[in-house]
Amino acid sequence: MEALRQDDPRRFGRFTALARFDEGASAVRYVARDLASGESALITAARPELAAVPVFSRRFQAEARTAERLAGGWVAPPLDPGDTAETPADEAEPLWTAAAYVPAVPLAEAVSIAGPLPERALRILGAGIAEILSRVHAAGSVLQGLAPGTVLLAADGPRLTAFGPLGAAASAEARPGGQLSVRLGYLTPEQIEGKEVSAASDLFVLGLLLAYAATGTTPFTEGPAEEATRRIAEDEPELDAVPEELRELIANCLAKDPDQRPTAGTVAAELALEGAAGLARGGWLPEPLAAAVADQEARVLALEVPEEGEATTEAGEADAPPAPEDARPADPRTLREPEGVREAPVPEDARPVDAPGLRKPTDVAAPSGDADPGNGDIGEDRGTTRFLNTGPRPPQNDRPTTQLALPHELTAPRAPDALPAAPPAQPPAPLALPAGPVAPQQPGHTHGGPAPYPAAALPAGPAGPGGPGGGPMVSLPLPPAPAPAPDPAASRRTLLTIAAAAVGGLIVGGGSVAALGSGGTAEATDDKPAPKPRRTLPGQAPEPRWIYAHPASESSPLTTALWQDKLLVVTSESQASAVDLRSGKRLWQRADGAKGQAALAAGADLVFVASPTEFLWLSPKNGKVVHRVRYTEAFEDLPGLTVGRLAGSSGPVIWFTGSHTVVEKAPKPKKGKKKGKDKEVVEAYFFAYDIVQRKELWRTSVPAGRDPGTPAYRVVAERSADVLVRQDAASLTAAEVKKAKGKGSVRSFDQKTGKLLWTKQYGAASLEAATAGDEDGTLYAAVGQDLQAFEADSTKPLWRVEGSEDSWFGTPLIAGPLIHTTERSRLVGAVERESGRLVWRRSTEVPGTGPAPSLTLSGSEKTLIAADAVQVTVFAAADGERLWKFQDIGSADPKGETVRASYRALAFGETVVVQRDRSFYAFPVA
């Protein structure tokens, strides 16, 4: 951190700048505070010379918009900028964003403070970054934003601060004619070969990052620096110093063939099955780093508003002209687009192609003599080439340790033997921190206070404006969606050139460049076809195939069901209605189906609905009642029969409970005694009914439930000889609850006759424990915080999966060789049916309140959908890769009622229908 300079803005909307935090290649970051609320913020302000370039301006604005959407998890949330002052007509619009300040140190600084990270910290770091990569790759995008300076270590887990090549740029420079030159700090084997980057490229760089965090150096360091490109493309990585448990995984990430690298979801699962957040509970940073983070927070809280005279110029003087009074945020609603610039956004990444006139690293001669200590070189030893800006800098570079980098001039011709001149060093002015008491801690931080060790330096940027920053970045550079191609002439006028360069020795070499025109779309310089458009936001739900709104004039839906993958049947207090699953349009409504239960297929051409008084068979075309069976007629020997909810179904057979009240006459009194009173007694039954033949198969007498008397059953497994049933705890009588002694039970009924075969309890499974079973005779039940498997007939325990602390499992979903699990803590996962081995476990990243999310599988069983009261989260069923999330907006009317209904998901084919109260969305899924 350093004091504000004379030319620094003093205000950013509602925030007052307190100090410079660091400098990056494209922006300066400030620590700021809302003096009214005390809220601390980290401001990212674009460098004016770069903001003047239209391509950069639009991309910066796009990153501001995506920052608003990506808040949460390992991304700091953006803050409301408040009112902003008008910018004079003769001045350019400043570009800036504000995000919540999160105390954290960059990975590069963390390694310099505490050395290589221990294995547990490596797992949390890698899992957290891989979780973000999963979201990016799920949208068909590539990140290209990993570097030691873009990954921060906070008290609760890692943070990623760059979501594209601009955010991870090693240098960025405005060029004459509206051009922008940007250099990256790494290459992958496929880039060296001139191939297009892919999701696997991100995994290669993640492997480099983890190897660096584990050892303090990169795995391709042995040998001359000028041969680094060849080593990356051909040599095996040096991983002997990596912890043995992680060596194979990192080696797989560094595979030369992109197809041989694991997916981000696989990496996340192998590093932390319970998710990065779960593994980081209770702290994860080594003591020196935890102290550094706490010390940083205390120093930021102690900052006071500087007096005008306290600001310094770049040289440390106080006589520079006064700074602009205000700056305005990069709000898409307020930023003016430069004239003559089309609104086509920048694509996610640029294709590497051969750059004419660009020399390979082997052609670059090392400078002779002593290097200028002020030229910005890092002083990397050829034998220990490392990430850029990963530790203390030596005072000067000598010939054997001079940094080897790609030429900086990428957009203009130059002499074959010319080397680019690095920007002059700009040593930061020291910032005087107050010696008085530390200001009260800001809300939202649970740690902080002066560290019990000498104060660690705050993340500091490099000595020049072109170097990468070491501190947190606020903007999240994700590209906007593709737009129509720009005017070719305009594209030639303004180019953004992105070159994979040899910066700091992470990966040295390269010769691939791509150009982004002023319109923002990719323009390959070798006439190859441009990359296919990629979706905008990683983790964003795909575009719905259709949206259906249940009419506000009707009562809210009670039940929803899919019929033959053709109709969505909705029942309410007033009617049953059907929606076409192809178009989302309502086809019919029928008052007869009011208060009906979930619709089922009765053969190929009828819709079965169970209403409170009768069974109905409706035409799928128009909802007309084709058959009607009233309970008084079908069960005439059970007058006044009340049918409970359906317990389950299989093909044409449904199971349900029902009850009716009979009068039990008092016994004949003994001589001389008065006759007792007759009693009303509830008799309950469990039924099997064929909805195709429209006839009762069997009924068996069962104990009546809690008043009004109908027990609520649920079929947990169907086997060839029997059905296994559990009774909901809420429908048990007080006597049954007392007799159970807190343990739940399962009943077995004969498939053909309905005879009760047995009733068994399983371990310590409670009355409320979620339970499911399979056709092989295995039951899976929540036991305390764990999930346990039992042999259904013998109650023998088979295996146990540990759950998360202070949580419990919901109803599991059985799918082939896997069982998908769900927990109240919002962890969703998969275990092997046979062994109970945990395959993967991921968090939905929502507050852990209410019941566990309900699970649904897509028709192909490739996609798992978890729905709860807050959102819908979609995972790849095989490896737990988090694909996307969805939240409904609720009622848009300012006076509209608050929607409290939970989400539901119904899947068919390659579509999942998500319901929240009256709103239905049909999303495509795999």
Side-chain angles (χ1 to χ4, degrees):
M1 247 183 353
E2 61 173 291
L4 295 174
R5 299 174 183 172
Q6 287 290 350
D7 58 349
D8 285 330
R10 293 300 186 272
R11 291 189 61 81
F12 296 89
R14 64 185 175 98
F15 298 103
T16 299
L18 304 179
R20 278 189 167 220
F21 193 81
D22 74 345
E23 294 186 51
S26 60
V28 178
R29 280 166 284 277
Y30 300 90
V31 176
R33 185 177 300 144
D34 183 342
L35 300 184
S37 65
E39 185 176 27
S40 295
L42 204 59
I43 306 294
T44 298
R47 295 184 179 278
E49 66 273 19
L50 301 180
V53 179
V55 165
F56 180 91
S57 174
R58 285 199 319 281
R59 189 176 185 99
F60 192 95
Q61 295 175 54
E63 294 169 5
R65 289 190 295 269
T66 48
E68 295 179 6
R69 294 169 161 177
L70 286 178
W74 308 124
V75 176
L79 301 177
D80 177 16
D83 296 333
T84 57
E86 291 293 335
T87 301
D90 59 344
E91 294 185 11
E93 290 277 3
L95 299 175
W96 61 274
T97 60
Y101 166 70
V102 178
V105 295
L107 176 60
E109 182 180 339
V111 172
S112 69
I113 292 174
L117 299 182
E119 181 188 341
R120 178 168 174 267
L122 288 170
R123 287 183 176 275
I124 295 168
L125 169 66
I129 301 304
E131 288 171 7
I132 300 175
L133 289 178
S134 293
R135 298 172 60 195
V136 175
H137 298 165
S141 301
V142 183
L143 184 73
Q144 291 188 286
L146 296 181
T150 65
V151 175
L152 309 179
L153 310 185
D156 59 347
R159 295 292 191 279
L160 184 60
T161 62
F163 281 68
L166 285 183
S171 68
E173 182 181 1
R175 311 293 296 169
Q179 295 177 327
L180 181 68
S181 174
V182 175
R183 293 193 303 162
L184 296 182
Y186 55 82
L187 281 178
T188 62
E190 54 268 29
Q191 286 175 303
I192 292 173
E193 295 176 3
K195 297 179 181 179
E196 190 171 322
V197 295
S198 64
S201 304
D202 285 335
L203 271 298
F204 186 88
V205 182
L206 177 60
L208 290 172
L209 196 77
L210 290 176
Y212 166 73
T215 64
T217 186
T218 52
F220 297 102
T221 58
E222 291 298 325
E226 59 269 17
E227 296 182 7
T229 303
R230 180 197 58 77
R231 293 199 300 273
I232 293 165
E234 301 174 6
D235 293 358
E236 293 302 314
E238 295 289 337
L239 300 176
D240 292 343
V242 173
E244 183 177 356
E245 294 79 2
L246 302 180
R247 199 173 298 157
E248 182 179 358
L249 177 62
I250 294 177
N252 291 339
C253 290
L254 296 174
K256 306 302 181 187
D257 184 357
D259 293 336
Q260 299 302 313
R261 298 170 199 158
T263 65
T266 300
V267 172
E270 289 196 26
L271 290 174
L273 278 175
E274 62 272 62
L279 188 57
R281 287 194 186 103
W284 71 293
L285 294 176
E287 184 176 350
L289 296 183
V293 170
D295 178 63
Q296 180 192 119
E297 181 180 26
R299 296 179 67 193
V300 168
L301 291 175
L303 288 173
E304 297 180 355
V305 179
E307 297 292 336
E308 194 69 22
E310 292 181 7
T312 64
T313 64
E314 290 191 20
E317 300 175 357
D319 55 357
E325 187 60 30
D326 203 346
R328 300 184 64 193
D331 190 324
R333 296 166 293 186
T334 59
L335 281 166
R336 294 197 300 267
E337 188 74 17
E339 292 185 7
V341 179
R342 299 171 67 93
E343 294 185 353
V346 179
E348 200 285 330
D349 53 39
R351 298 186 72 202
V353 295
D354 293 334
L358 184 63
R359 289 186 298 155
K360 297 181 180 179
T362 52
D363 302 326
V364 181
S368 60
D370 291 343
D372 182 358
N375 67 0
D377 283 348
I378 302 175
E380 301 291 332
D381 192 305
R382 291 179 180 180
T384 58
T385 304
R386 299 179 288 118
F387 280 100
L388 175 66
N389 194 26
T390 57
R393 302 183 180 201
Q396 64 180 22
N397 299 326
D398 56 22
R399 184 178 303 175
T401 61
T402 300
Q403 171 192 355
L404 178 66
L406 275 184
H408 193 75
E409 303 287 333
L410 297 176
T411 57
R414 50 182 170 76
D417 57 348
L419 281 171
Q426 298 174 350
L431 174 66
L433 291 176
V438 176
Q441 187 171 333
Q442 300 296 335
H445 300 306
T446 59
H447 57 280
Y453 83 113
L458 285 166
M473 293 177 64
V474 177
S475 62
L476 307 174
L478 275 171
D487 179 4
S491 298
R492 287 190 293 271
R493 285 194 299 270
T494 307
L495 296 178
L496 165 63
T497 303
I498 301 178
V503 179
L506 165 59
I507 301 178
V508 184
S512 57
V513 299
L516 299 182
S518 63
T521 56
E523 180 182 350
T525 58
D526 62 351
D527 297 327
K528 294 180 181 179
K532 294 181 179 179
R534 289 175 173 151
R535 228 194 29 238
T536 302
L537 183 64
Q540 182 183 23
E543 193 71 21
R545 301 185 194 275
W546 50 259
I547 300 174
Y548 168 71
H550 191 71
S553 59
E554 301 176 11
S555 55
S556 295
L558 295 176
T559 68
T560 54
L562 302 181
W563 182 86
Q564 298 282 58
D565 293 355
K566 296 178 181 179
L567 298 180
L568 170 69
V569 181
V570 181
T571 66
S572 67
E573 292 282 349
S574 58
Q575 62 189 11
S577 57
V579 176
D580 186 348
L581 286 176
R582 294 171 300 176
S583 64
K585 295 181 179 179
R586 179 186 269 198
L587 299 179
W588 49 261
Q589 56 268 5
R590 178 66 57 177
D592 302 78
K595 301 181 181 178
Q597 296 191 51
L600 298 171
D605 53 1
L606 291 176
V607 179
F608 172 83
V609 175
S611 82
T613 59
E614 59 189 350
F615 290 150
L616 298 172
W617 286 261
L618 309 178
S619 167
K621 296 180 179 179
N622 53 25
K624 180 181 177 181
V625 178
V626 178
H627 304 288
R628 186 193 307 266
V629 175
R630 292 183 174 88
Y631 302 148
T632 55
E633 299 171 356
F635 311 100
E636 56 185 14
D637 59 330
L638 302 174
L641 178 69
T642 298
V643 173
R645 75 180 189 204
L646 298 185
S649 66
S650 177
V653 178
I654 61 172
W655 295 282
F656 61 92
T657 55
S659 66
H660 77 134
T661 303
V662 297
V663 177
E664 188 176 87
K665 293 187 176 294
K668 185 177 181 180
K670 294 181 180 180
K671 187 175 181 180
K673 300 290 185 179
K674 290 184 178 181
K675 182 181 179 181
K677 294 182 178 180
D678 295 342
K679 293 190 302 182
E680 288 188 344
V681 177
V682 176
E683 293 181 346
Y685 300 89
F686 185 42
F687 297 85
Y689 190 93
D690 190 316
I691 61 175
V692 173
Q693 300 183 48
R694 300 193 299 280
K695 71 175 185 179
E696 179 184 343
L697 299 178
W698 51 254
R699 80 178 72 159
T700 187
S701 180
V702 295
R706 187 186 297 269
D707 188 54
T710 304
Y713 281 7
R714 183 172 64 87
V715 175
V716 296
E718 180 194 8
R719 303 190 293 182
S720 59
D722 62 354
V723 289
L724 305 184
V725 176
R726 265 184 69 92
Q727 184 174 348
D728 286 359
S731 70
L732 292 170
T733 64
E736 288 175 319
V737 172
K738 183 177 180 180
K739 181 180 179 181
K741 297 181 179 181
K743 294 183 179 181
S745 60
V746 173
R747 295 182 173 101
S748 168
F749 294 91
D750 186 274
Q751 278 270 31
K752 295 182 179 180
T753 66
K755 178 183 178 182
L756 177 63
L757 301 178
W758 49 254
T759 301
K760 299 179 184 293
Q761 294 179 329
Y762 295 86
S766 68
L767 294 168
E768 299 85 6
T771 307
D774 60 28
E775 69 282 358
D776 297 329
T778 305
L779 282 180
Y780 311 94
V783 180
Q785 295 181 171
D786 303 333
L787 181 69
Q788 194 163 356
F790 301 88
E791 284 185 356
D793 294 313
S794 67
T795 73
K796 175 185 176 182
L798 300 177
W799 49 255
R800 178 191 296 265
V801 175
E802 292 186 359
S804 53
E805 187 176 357
D806 298 326
S807 183
W808 57 82
F809 281 90
T811 303
L813 181 62
I814 301 169
L818 297 180
I819 301 172
H820 293 290
T821 62
T822 174
E823 299 180 56
R824 184 178 182 271
S825 59
R826 297 310 185 264
L827 291 176
V828 175
V831 300
E832 292 180 351
R833 282 173 65 179
E834 185 70 24
S835 64
R837 185 184 73 85
L838 194 59
V839 178
W840 61 265
R841 183 182 286 170
R842 299 293 305 281
S843 172
T844 62
E845 297 182 341
V846 296
T849 58
S854 60
L855 302 180
T856 305
L857 273 172
S858 65
S860 66
E861 298 191 350
K862 294 180 180 179
T863 305
L864 181 68
I865 303 100
D868 57 22
V870 179
Q871 71 180 23
V872 172
T873 311
V874 178
F875 300 88
D879 60 10
E881 180 179 4
R882 193 184 293 114
L883 303 178
W884 49 267
K885 300 179 181 181
F886 172 73
Q887 288 185 341
D888 174 77
I889 193 175
S891 176
D893 187 343
K895 297 182 180 179
E897 62 183 66
T898 300
V899 179
R900 293 183 173 86
S902 295
Y903 290 88
R904 291 192 62 206
L906 302 96
F908 69 97
E910 297 181 345
T911 302
V912 58
V913 177
V914 172
Q915 177 202 359
R916 186 174 184 235
D917 194 33
R918 298 176 180 273
S919 300
F920 297 80
Y921 305 81
F923 292 107
V925 292

